[in-house]
Amino acid sequence: MSKAIDTLPEAGVPLREKIAYGCGDLSSNLMWGMTSSYLMYFYTDIDGLPVTAVAWILLVARTFDAFCDPAVGWLLDRKGGIIIPKIIGRLSIAFGITGFLCFYTPPFSPHLRIFWAAVTYIIFGAIYSFINTPYGALGTMMTRSIHHRVGLNAFRMMGCQSGQIIISSLTIPAILWLGGGTDLIQRQQGTTRYAFILALTSIALWTVVSRNCHVRYPTPPTKQNFLRILKYLLNNRTLWLCNSLVFLQFMGLASLYGFSLYYARAVLGGSESLGSIILTIATITGFLGALFSQNINNILGFRKTFILTIFLQILCYTSLLIGNFHHTLFFCFFSLLTGSQGIASPLYFTLLSSAIDDGLKKTGVNTTGIAYSLNTLVTKFSMGITGFILAFLLSYGHYTADKAVFSINTQKWISDGFLGLPLVAACLQFGLIVLWPRKGALGSVRS
């Protein structure tokens, strides 16, 4: 049950409530994280869909979100923030069911299976918009303190990384165990059963969020014209900076989680299990980074923390791209890379909260819902564009699932997708942060 006004002091949010808030991203990343890390691999290597068809499925789904996400934000602003826990509770079941259907292989013809994959992924993306946008906005309504928002978003990122740890470490073993073997039919059955378990867990976790996270500072219902609100947002330079950084951030994350299995097999000469190890290390180090993010931010300040973490990512991407390392040295650089990403992860959401607050002060108009919906749109569009690029890199590299040894050409295209593309994104992030005026958005955020 939500509370419009909570008598607890602004000094902090109770630990129990922070943990409950983190359960939202834990739930998201059991299903949404599953799609980020394994959906492309499921389509190409388990469901047997053509690589070019997969590329278009990923892109079309995100194009549909271009209409869905702003509509969610507009509805949220019209109804006011007090309804957020109720929205989350009511959509929890739909979120689990549609996520499960993305990993179900129906007994259809190849063309109908492509259609099934596209429709289920599009619907799941829409449900994700309707539940995740209110969830993101909820954090700004639980506390007004920038300091405690960093802490709250740290729990959110720890929930995110916990979900990724579960997905990365358990998925391949669970699929093989639940399916009873390694042939194609057994892997399809194992994936379906595993997705069903994840769906039930996700529903339960969203229920925890809806019943335990309290709206202390609800935004009032706003009857403003949609185009006028959009104009206010377009004039919010801090929001532009935040969304640009988030777009580039998710290009790196989508490359990392979407291409790990391919990189492990083709470049490192391993198997799906090695890819699972890569994903597990990424999520554990990301979790640890998020855990210490607030402490590092308190010592260095917001801007310096941002600059340092992006610089470390550039250093690691460059080293991994040009070096031909043994597995041990590879994992050392890789751990430093993903740990830096974990430290930076809460900062993006803190900057978004500040952008929304700045816009409210300047215009007096509540734009929280649409602002968060645009941010969600940016993340999903970034993942869609990146997935589209990665799928075509597989096509250019003539990747086929049944190969045991891959050509130099295939290895090059996969390496470019796993390391080269996110390196470019990290360099662009670094330029945005360093060149942004010190008295601007980054300089105004205080820990």
Side-chain angles (χ1 to χ4, degrees):
M1 298 296 291
S2 65
K3 297 179 182 179
I5 300 296
D6 199 297
T7 57
L8 291 172
E10 179 59 14
V13 178
L15 178 61
R16 175 184 175 183
E17 199 169 341
K18 290 180 180 179
I19 294 174
Y21 187 68
C23 286
D25 242 301
L26 173 57
S27 177
S28 284
N29 281 277
L30 288 179
M31 292 310 305
W32 188 254
M34 181 71 173
T35 63
S36 302
S37 301
Y38 289 97
L39 186 63
M40 183 188 297
Y41 191 77
F42 170 75
Y43 283 158
T44 60
D45 286 46
I46 298 179
D47 206 17
L49 302 183
V51 172
T52 52
V54 173
W56 286 108
I57 289 171
L58 298 176
L59 184 63
V60 169
R62 298 292 73 83
T63 302
F64 179 83
D65 287 336
F67 301 95
C68 183
D69 284 285
V72 178
W74 178 76
L75 177 64
L76 183 60
D77 285 335
R78 286 186 65 85
K79 297 296 184 180
I82 197 67
I83 69 168
I84 287 180
K86 185 181 294 185
I87 292 176
I88 292 174
R90 289 182 175 178
L91 289 177
S92 59
I93 296 177
F95 177 84
I97 291 175
T98 54
F100 160 73
L101 291 177
C102 287
F103 291 93
Y104 172 70
T105 302
F108 297 160
S109 67
H111 292 298
L112 281 179
R113 288 213 316 275
I114 293 173
F115 178 76
W116 170 271
V119 170
T120 54
Y121 190 41
I122 287 172
I123 295 175
F124 177 60
I127 298 297
Y128 179 79
S129 296
F130 274 91
I131 199 169
N132 198 66
T133 296
Y135 168 70
L138 177 62
T140 66
M141 302 177 198
M142 293 172 66
T143 175
R144 290 174 177 169
S145 165
I146 293 296
H147 173 77
H148 292 109
R149 282 177 179 175
V150 172
L152 194 62
N153 285 317
F155 271 84
R156 177 180 183 178
M157 287 299 96
M158 284 187 283
C160 168
Q161 297 297 343
S162 296
Q164 287 288 2
I165 289 172
I166 294 170
I167 294 301
S168 59
S169 61
L170 296 182
T171 297
I172 296 299
I175 287 174
L176 298 178
W177 181 68
L178 291 170
T182 59
D183 66 42
L184 184 61
I185 299 300
Q186 289 172 323
R187 291 162 73 199
Q188 288 177 352
Q189 292 175 344
T191 302
T192 300
R193 293 164 183 168
Y194 181 61
F196 181 73
I197 294 171
L198 294 180
L200 292 179
T201 307
S202 294
I203 292 170
L205 289 169
W206 278 125
T207 304
V208 171
V209 176
S210 66
R211 294 183 178 180
N212 292 279
C213 291
H214 300 149
V215 180
R216 296 180 178 82
Y217 307 98
T219 54
T222 302
K223 302 296 183 181
Q224 292 286 346
N225 181 276
F226 177 80
L227 294 178
R228 182 177 298 177
I229 293 177
L230 191 60
K231 179 181 177 181
Y232 289 144
L233 293 175
L234 292 176
N235 290 329
N236 189 330
R237 295 180 68 244
T238 306
L239 189 62
W240 273 97
L241 170 65
C242 179
N243 284 333
S244 298
L245 291 171
V246 166
F247 182 89
L248 296 169
Q249 175 207 17
F250 273 81
M251 285 195 75
L253 294 176
S255 299
L256 168 65
Y257 288 100
F259 245 33
S260 289
L261 297 178
Y262 300 105
Y263 188 82
R265 290 188 61 202
V267 180
L268 297 181
S271 62
E272 293 174 338
S273 297
L274 179 60
S276 179
I277 292 172
I278 291 175
L279 289 172
T280 302
I281 291 176
T283 50
I284 291 175
T285 52
F287 177 91
L288 293 175
L291 180 64
F292 291 103
S293 178
Q294 186 173 8
N295 302 91
I296 297 173
N297 181 63
N298 291 342
I299 296 171
L300 298 180
F302 192 88
R303 183 188 182 94
K304 290 182 179 178
T305 302
F306 233 143
I307 291 175
L308 176 62
T309 55
I310 301 302
F311 174 77
L312 288 175
Q313 291 175 48
I314 293 173
L315 176 65
C316 292
Y317 277 127
T318 304
S319 300
L320 291 170
L321 192 61
I322 65 177
N324 186 17
F325 298 124
H326 185 269
H327 285 184
T328 301
L329 196 55
F330 167 83
F331 282 117
C332 288
F333 277 106
F334 186 73
S335 297
L336 179 59
L337 164 67
T338 51
S340 301
Q341 291 175 336
I343 295 170
S345 56
L347 305 183
Y348 296 94
F349 295 104
T350 304
L351 181 60
L352 177 60
S353 298
S354 296
I356 294 172
D357 289 345
D358 290 344
L360 181 61
K361 290 177 183 178
K362 292 177 182 178
T363 65
V365 177
N366 168 40
T367 59
T368 302
I370 293 183
Y372 264 95
S373 69
L374 291 177
N375 184 258
T376 303
L377 170 62
V378 167
T379 63
K380 292 196 292 185
F381 192 64
S382 175
M383 293 173 67
I385 290 291
T386 305
F388 181 80
I389 294 172
L390 294 178
F392 269 100
L393 291 180
L394 291 177
S395 178
Y396 293 147
H398 304 291
Y399 172 85
T400 56
D402 56 354
K403 285 185 178 180
V405 179
F406 296 88
S407 67
I408 298 296
N409 181 59
T410 302
Q411 293 177 2
K412 177 185 178 300
W413 285 109
I414 291 178
S415 182
D416 286 344
F418 186 68
L419 298 172
L421 182 61
L423 172 61
V424 173
C427 289
L428 292 174
Q429 281 195 78
F430 189 80
L432 279 173
I433 297 169
V434 171
L435 297 177
W436 196 266
R438 289 183 175 272
K439 295 183 179 180
L442 292 170
S444 66
V445 178
R446 295 284 183 265
S447 60

